Amino acid sequence: MALFTDRSIWTMLHGIALGGGAMMTLFGALVLVVAFRPGRTWGDLAGPARALGALSVTSAAMLWLTVLAGTYIVFPPYRATPPEGTTILTDFPRSLIQSDPSTAWLHSFAMESKEHIPWIAAILATAMAFVVTRYRGRLWNDAGVRNTTMAGLAICLALVACMALLGVFVNKVAPLQ
């Protein structure tokens, strides 16, 4: 038995590399927005503005890659239906989760949420990347733009963190092998 299979490598790439990277860049962007409040004297804000733009665009790109990899590469093997009469369900994660009443919620709540909410997070991250790059010059002094950006990034980070946690639960009970 191989230590890592194609499925497990794609799951790690989806969850750890892309999803984890998206969370780190979202957190970095949020820290920048919070740290550079109006009224503070930081000197030239062009550098932090460029960094915020890069972080927000990178987080949006990583979230789209995470969502697309999850939807089209990781979810199909998760949803595979076992052949009639199969009793060993380790190769069929959805059926394995649903076979035990104590873990059935992982499919009905966690996986159903993971199929939809990450799309919302990716769309929101894209909108925040647009706001940050479009209104870069006004971001530090316009409270409306700044607060909208901060709220959008915080909501996006919370959504991604919740979906990542649910993904860990699902993968703990029924990993793709």
Side-chain angles (χ1 to χ4, degrees), residues 11-21:
T11 302
M12 289 187 285
L13 182 66
H14 161 74
I16 297 171
L18 296 173

Side-chain angles (χ1 to χ4, degrees), residues 36 42-53 136-137 140:
F36 290 94
W42 293 93
D44 183 21
L45 293 175
R50 278 193 302 275
L52 180 59
R136 183 179 304 173
W140 309 120

